[in-house]
Amino acid sequence: MLITHDLAVVAGMAQRVALMYAGQIIEVASADEFFSAPKHPYAQALLRALPDAGRRGEPLAAIAGTVPALTQTFTGCRFAPRCASAMAHCASTLPELTLLGPTHSVRCLLHADGARATAAAGAVAAAPPRLARPARQRARRRCWRCMNCVCASRSARGLLQRTAGHFEAVGGVSFEILPGQTLALVGESGCGKTTIGKAIVQLLRGQADIDGRALLGGSNLFELQGGALQAPAATSRSSSRTRSRR
Ligand code: SF4
């Protein structure tokens, strides 16, 4: 998994893209779909903001405002205050992650009606490419799967740093990565990319309450401790080496 704000790196390296905003995944697509036909207004604005030699001398497009503080309770779309396409009900309706096609899903009310199916909040949004059944079963045993991951960070106060409250830094994030695939997790600073990466490898222990599951080779990384935490990664590495020797 590649975690970055740099779309040029993503374009060169990833097969699939999951775009994050304010602690949620808001669009998942194959890299081709993401760069040729992004559906979320934030994704479209990000691509418009990329420097382009053809627009040399023109002012750079920018997205007004900043990522909202995650200490608040959201009642509608988290991007609504910055969205040029916002509708009246966007501020009061929570958009679900909606499946638009086999490899493309988006969290935006503009696409809620015409969708073929609506994924449950936080569901795995974009299926990886289809493999033959036995290969798929083998791959599933070695895949990375992050299921409905929630990170509630603790805010500390005072000299003794007592826990003063919690805020949801990452809400219901899910994705799956098969062996040999690269998934890019992209988004502005503060949207939760690093938090999800740290949570998976248990670097937030003691600082945040983690919920959900991060499965690798059948083990839930959130539950492993000590040397056991290294074992799934070692197993995964040795199976890749075995494959490459064949
Ligand atoms: S739900 Fe509304 S505010 Fe949010 S991205 Fe879609 S159009 Fe914009």
Side-chain angles (χ1 to χ4, degrees):
M1 180 167 67
L2 169 71
I3 298 177
T4 181
H5 66 277
D6 191 329
L7 288 170
V9 173
V10 172
M13 298 192 68
Q15 287 114 352
R16 286 194 299 144
V17 179
L19 176 66
M20 287 191 75
Y21 185 80
Q24 293 182 313
I25 287 184
I26 58 169
E27 181 157 359
V28 186
S30 69
D32 282 348
E33 287 169 324
F34 183 81
F35 286 102
S36 63
K39 298 296 185 213
H40 197 283
Y42 178 58
Q44 294 165 353
L46 280 180
L47 293 183
R48 275 197 302 273
L50 287 177
D52 178 350
R55 300 198 304 257
R56 195 178 290 273
E58 295 176 19
L60 278 177
I63 307 172
T66 55
V67 177
L70 298 179
T71 43
Q72 63 187 285
T73 303
F74 292 97
T75 53
C77 172
R78 298 180 180 196
F79 186 58
R82 307 174 72 189
C83 181
S85 309
M87 302 169 284
H89 60 299
C90 291
S92 56
T93 309
L94 291 165
E96 302 263 312
L97 206 52
T98 300
L99 223 49
L100 303 179
T103 58
H104 203 163
S105 57
V106 66
R107 190 187 296 275
C108 173
L109 298 173
L110 285 173
H111 301 280
D113 292 339
R116 286 203 285 277
T118 301
V124 173
R130 299 280 303 168
L131 300 171
R133 199 159 183 219
R136 201 160 68 233
Q137 284 167 342
R138 277 198 307 277
R140 290 221 179 277
R141 282 198 288 273
R142 297 191 308 267
C143 79
W144 261 96
R145 204 174 297 165
C146 184
M147 301 168 75
N148 205 20
C149 182
V150 176
C151 305
S153 293
R154 295 173 199 160
S155 51
R157 208 167 34 210
L159 265 181
L160 299 176
Q161 291 291 288
R162 289 210 171 91
T163 301
H166 290 80
F167 62 91
E168 195 178 278
V170 167
V173 165
S174 300
F175 52 81
E176 182 179 270
I177 311 173
L178 294 179
Q181 281 192 324
T182 304
L183 169 75
L185 203 49
V186 295
E188 268 174 285
S189 296
C191 73
K193 310 182 296 294
T194 305
T195 302
I196 190 84
K198 284 183 171 177
I200 288 171
V201 294
Q202 293 204 17
L203 289 178
L204 294 180
R205 198 178 264 178
Q207 300 168 39
D209 294 332
I210 313 292
D211 203 4
R213 289 193 291 165
L215 299 174
L216 177 61
S219 304
N220 183 2
L221 301 191
F222 292 162
E223 293 172 352
L224 299 181
Q225 300 202 10
L229 195 53
Q230 295 175 353
T235 307
S236 178
R237 274 199 304 275
S238 79
S239 58
S240 331
R241 276 200 297 272
T242 308
R243 276 200 317 281
S244 60
R245 276 201 297 269
R246 278 182 196 143

